[in-house]
Structures are given as structure tokens and as C-alpha cells.
Amino acid sequence: MEKKIRIAIQKSGRLHDDSMRLLKECGIDAGNSRNQLRVAATNFPAEIFFLRDDDIPEYVQDGVADIGFVGENVVLEKNKKVNTVEKLGFGKCRLSLAIPANKRIRSAEDLAGKKIATSYPHILSGYLKKKKIKADIHTISGSVEIAPRIGLADAICDLVSSGNTLFSNELTELETILQSEAVIISNNDLSPALQKILHKLLFRIQSVKRSRNNKYVLLNAPNEKLDAICGLLPGMRSPTVLPLAEPGWSSVHSVITETDFWNIIEQLKQQGAEGILVIPIEKMIL
């Protein structure tokens, strides 16, 4: 019987859709997963379990699942014995201290002796210990942001994405404790067969991630400017240069990272590049 890797994914919430979309982009067909607790991929040796995100680190530690897609904040809070093997680039958020907008608190040190409400007591206690701040931690689940309004706490420590929830509850961020995103965690004792499947999955995921961060660029360049233009376009190794039918001109093909894109395009135009085409990359294999 073919060995299958068991993947734990959040059954609902902000990471579920992105995790399933990533598997699909990796060419893994999990069929219709709605309202199911377990599905088997039809074209990859994998089974997918849909679980509460808070339970995923423990299930991976205990070997119920071999790997899990989960928020880094959950991994650190649950503090289970698992390996973090890949950051996924989605589900980005931050764990921050926040205070009522009218509080006269200017820094984390001003929270000494205060009450802080949070769903992340492990991370918060480690942060306060590192900063040598003694404060009372009140652990609550859900609706942490209302704690100051009902007199339960002087401040909160909670996840922030856009900041709209804080604003609507008349809270303001004081300090960021942790930057988080979705990660893949694995059991510490994967068999060689499961490690091989994991490496195949990571190869696909890394190819998809690279494609998201890069653009394929085609342009026409006068031959006397080729050296300058190629110097702006390193590509994966070096740009591809092909002669055009029109004498004195060449077609140049390369890859530009998303972060450098507009700056490089402007420089290419200044060097005489024309007919610049920018094409999204579906997969990028190195």
C-alpha cells in the first residue's frame, strides 16, 4: 500500500482557503473538501485532515498528522515539539500590545503592575520576562479587545492584521511582540518514506512561491545599449538575448523580482529599451 503523508489544515478561518489554494497551485487535487474532516488527494500521496488551528501543533507532535499548515503564532504559543520547515508567505499578521486610546501609557515598560488580557499567555509571558516587566496576565479566549472597556484589563495582547478591530474598539497599538505568517510544521520523527514525500511537496511549494515574487520580462533593445541593459537584468543566471529581424536590435528576456520591478523598469526605459512586456510566472523551477 502506498505511503501517504497526513497534512493537517485549519478547517475554517483565514488560513483554510489560502492553504487549499496553495495545494491546488502545486497540482494537488483534493476534490471537494467542504464539510468534510478528511479527504485524500487523487494525484499525490497525501491525506488532508481539517482541524482546529489550535490543535494542529499537538496533533503533529503526537503523530496523528505528519505535517501541518498553521500560523507561526499558534506554533509558538502551543510550544510543542515540532519542526518548522517552511514559511508560506500568507496569513501575515502581528501579535501586538494595545491600549485604550485615552490611556497615558507610552511604552511596554509602563505596563508594569498593570493587567493585560490575551489569548497568548505563553508568548506574552516570555516577552515580559525578557523585558523584565512584571504585569498580571489574564488569559481569555475570544473578544480580547473588549477587555479594557469592561474593566477586565488595562491593555491587551492580540493579533492585528489591518488594525480595524482595534480602531473600532478605541484601542491603539503600543508595541509589536511578534511578526507571524503561515508555516509548515512537521513531526520530529518522520520516516524516510514520509520525508521523501515532504521534500516533493516542498519542492512544489517553493516553485510556486518563487513565481509569485518574480515577473518574466521581454523587451527590445538597441545593440549598442545591450551591456547596460543586461547589467540591469541579472535573471536566474543571465538574460537571454536573441537577434531581431531589424538590424541593430535584439530581444532580451529575463526575470525581475517583485520588489525591484518598477525601479528596474524605469532604468530600462532610460537606457533605450522599448516594447517592454511583463508576464506573470505560473511556476519557477530552479
Side-chain angles (χ1 to χ4, degrees):
M1 186 175 178
E2 184 184 26
K3 194 73 172 175
K4 293 185 177 182
I5 196 164
R6 296 164 298 179
I7 306 172
I9 286 177
Q10 187 177 18
K11 66 180 179 181
S12 61
R14 63 193 181 89
L15 297 187
H16 172 87
D17 291 344
D18 285 337
S19 297
M20 295 304 295
R21 187 178 300 112
L22 177 60
L23 291 180
K24 185 175 181 180
E25 289 178 312
C26 290
I28 298 173
D29 183 5
N32 184 5
S33 62
R34 293 197 177 279
N35 302 318
Q36 297 192 58
L37 297 178
R38 171 186 167 276
V39 296
T42 59
N43 58 353
F44 190 83
E47 291 179 305
I48 302 169
F49 299 163
F50 299 103
L51 307 168
R52 289 180 64 252
D53 59 340
D54 286 352
D55 294 334
I56 290 176
E58 184 169 1
Y59 279 128
V60 172
Q61 173 189 264
D62 296 344
V64 176
D66 301 307
I67 64 173
F69 291 30
V70 67
E72 197 172 7
N73 55 295
V74 176
V75 178
L76 295 173
E77 178 60 30
K78 296 305 177 181
N79 196 31
K80 302 298 181 180
K81 294 179 180 178
V82 296
N83 290 322
T84 298
V85 296
E86 183 76 15
K87 294 194 174 188
L88 295 175
F90 59 79
K92 292 186 178 182
C93 59
R94 56 194 182 274
L95 185 66
S96 294
L97 290 167
I99 57 170
N102 59 359
K103 282 278 187 180
R104 301 182 68 178
I105 295 174
R106 298 291 178 264
S107 67
E109 285 72 17
D110 292 336
L111 293 174
K114 306 290 187 183
K115 292 181 289 186
I116 308 173
T118 187
S119 299
Y120 296 90
H122 179 75
I123 296 175
L124 177 59
S125 62
Y127 170 82
L128 294 176
K129 184 177 180 180
K130 184 178 179 180
K131 300 273 284 187
K132 298 180 179 180
I133 299 169
K134 291 184 178 181
D136 295 328
I137 298 175
H138 286 244
T139 304
I140 59 178
S141 57
S143 301
V144 174
E145 62 275 359
I146 71 169
R149 296 176 66 182
I150 62 176
L152 183 63
D154 301 293
I156 68 167
C157 175
D158 201 17
L159 288 182
V160 180
S161 294
S162 65
N164 289 337
T165 302
L166 293 182
F167 180 78
S168 63
N169 285 276
E170 299 178 353
L171 297 170
T172 184
E173 275 187 86
L174 181 66
E175 194 165 318
T176 297
I177 291 178
L178 171 73
Q179 295 286 350
S180 177
E181 65 182 271
V183 297
I184 297 179
I185 57 173
S186 73
N187 180 271
N188 287 335
D189 299 310
L190 288 184
S191 67
L194 289 175
Q195 288 179 10
K196 186 176 181 180
I197 298 171
L198 175 58
H199 290 155
K200 288 182 178 180
L201 177 61
L202 291 175
F203 174 77
R204 297 189 185 194
I205 288 172
Q206 289 160 2
S207 298
V208 170
K209 285 170 59 182
R210 279 192 293 268
S211 72
R212 291 174 178 170
N213 295 327
N214 292 276
K215 302 290 185 184
Y216 191 72
V217 176
L218 301 87
L219 59 88
N220 298 329
N223 288 345
E224 67 269 18
K225 296 283 187 159
L226 275 178
D227 288 342
I229 287 173
C230 288
L232 296 170
L233 294 169
M236 288 182 282
R237 289 189 181 274
S238 63
T240 299
V241 180
L242 302 171
L244 291 178
E246 183 177 346
W249 284 80
S250 296
S251 175
V252 181
H253 300 213
S254 191
V255 173
I256 301 178
T257 62
E258 189 77 44
T259 52
D260 296 332
F261 177 76
W262 285 112
N263 183 46
I264 290 179
I265 291 296
E266 290 170 1
Q267 294 181 65
L268 290 171
K269 289 288 290 180
Q270 292 171 3
Q271 292 295 335
E274 296 181 3
I276 301 173
L277 298 179
V278 182
I279 302 171
I281 301 173
E282 184 175 331
K283 305 289 187 296
M284 189 169 171
I285 314 298
L286 297 181

